[in-house]
Amino acid sequence: MEIGILSTSGGKQLATLTVDPNSTLKELKTQIHRLKSHLYPDRQEFRQEPRGKGLDESKTVAALGLKDKSKLYLKDLGPQIAWKTVFLTEYAGPLFVYAWIYTRPWLFYGEDAASQPMSQVSHIAAICWVFHYSKRILETLFVHRFSHATMPVRNLFRNCAYYWVFAAYVAYHVNHPLYTAPCQIQSYIALGFWTVCELGNFSIHWLLRNLRPPGSKERRIPRPTKDPLTLLFNLVSCPNYTYEVGGWVAFTAMTQCIPAGLFAFAGFYQMVIWAIGKHRSYKKDFKDYPRGRKAIIPFVL
């Protein structure tokens, strides 16, 4: 049977493929790549309507109800880059930028800055910041399993700008010679809360890793394990985001720094969007999904 492949932009005919009813969309992508070398499989997205939803590449031609002379629309997603590469670049940047400002104050505050004492909170904040992004890099290399292999390369510049610029903004203020730290009790309590959030975030990431078999895109309902830090799954769908936000709120309280608070708020806003999307997806895909769970904030949101 023959399937016509049309562009989502303008409806231009791109190719006519001879396929078997049991052929998957992934196999169709390989055929198109042979015909048009610049359209490698990760760059392609099939749709049944020009503005419709992207189709799962594991679906077969027959499962989609396609017949001889049917049409599929192909969207060119643009140049792609591996998710792992994006994450490593995003996280290495803020680690380097913050450490650079912390270890070389004279470059940013003048020659006299190196001889001025730095508060204990500034030292603790630097350790926390470097630990957090080192953890993220190690998780990217050894823990995370990505459901999608790539993302548009244009997103790399936007994401890096967000992380790198905020890192410089926060580091400049926390390490400034005129920085005034809060009282020790506030800083130590916040540090304790930050530590719990970092451990909790890792616990959730480890649970999610074990939830998905290697090399698969299988989805299951995440549930708490014997690790007490995973009990947050009883209350929210995305406890990794809850712990992440909690960690940055704690960092803000520990440093009492407005730029850190702005960074925490910006991250919270984005993670709320992601969490709501994942929460809706869980409820749509699993009829027995726990009703009592919220997206990111227990009992609230």
Side-chain angles (χ1 to χ4, degrees), residues 97-119:
V97 169
Y98 197 104
W100 186 34
I101 296 175
Y102 169 71
T103 57
R104 290 166 173 77
W106 62 88
L107 294 177
F108 305 92
Y109 314 116
E111 293 295 333
D112 296 336
S115 61
Q116 297 185 29
M118 186 177 289
S119 73

Side-chain angles (χ1 to χ4, degrees), residues 11 169 182 248:
Y169 186 37
W248 287 116

Side-chain angles (χ1 to χ4, degrees), residues 5-9 14 29 32 39-55 72-78 80 152 154:
I5 307 299
L6 282 65
S7 171
T8 55
S9 56
L14 297 176
K29 289 181 179 181
I32 291 175
L39 289 175
Y40 45 88
D42 286 331
R43 187 169 175 166
Q44 303 175 41
E45 181 182 80
F46 281 120
R47 300 176 180 181
Q48 289 190 294
E49 298 294 336
R51 296 187 178 182
K53 185 179 179 180
L55 300 172
L72 275 176
Y73 290 89
L74 178 67
K75 179 176 177 60
D76 180 3
L77 300 175
Q80 301 289 297
R154 63 180 179 274

Side-chain angles (χ1 to χ4, degrees), residues 42-178:
D42 286 331
R43 187 169 175 166
Q44 303 175 41
E45 181 182 80
F46 281 120
R47 300 176 180 181
Q48 289 190 294
E49 298 294 336
R51 296 187 178 182
K53 185 179 179 180
L55 300 172
D56 184 349
E57 65 176 15
S58 65
K59 294 285 187 180
T60 63
V61 171
L64 293 171
L66 300 176
K67 300 178 181 179
D68 188 35
K69 306 301 181 182
S70 290
K71 296 178 181 179
L72 275 176
Y73 290 89
L74 178 67
K75 179 176 177 60
D76 180 3
L77 300 175
Q80 301 289 297
I81 186 170
W83 270 98
K84 182 172 289 189
T85 303
V86 173
F87 277 15
L88 292 176
T89 307
E90 285 179 1
Y91 302 153
L95 191 157
F96 169 77
V97 169
Y98 197 104
W100 186 34
I101 296 175
Y102 169 71
T103 57
R104 290 166 173 77
W106 62 88
L107 294 177
F108 305 92
Y109 314 116
E111 293 295 333
D112 296 336
S115 61
Q116 297 185 29
M118 186 177 289
S119 73
Q120 184 182 37
V121 171
S122 296
H123 294 304
I124 294 174
I127 293 171
C128 290
W129 188 281
V130 170
F131 176 88
H132 176 80
Y133 283 101
S134 297
K135 166 183 163 292
R136 282 195 172 190
I137 290 172
L138 292 173
E139 286 177 338
T140 299
L141 291 173
F142 303 111
V143 177
H144 292 319
R145 287 174 177 160
F146 301 99
S147 56
H148 299 285
T150 64
M151 69 183 295
V153 70
R154 63 180 179 274
N155 291 355
L156 174 66
F157 303 101
R158 180 194 64 195
N159 294 6
C160 285
Y162 167 76
Y163 282 106
W164 291 38
V165 171
F166 256 123
Y169 186 37
V170 174
Y172 180 83
H173 285 79
V174 175
N175 298 295
H176 200 285
L178 299 179

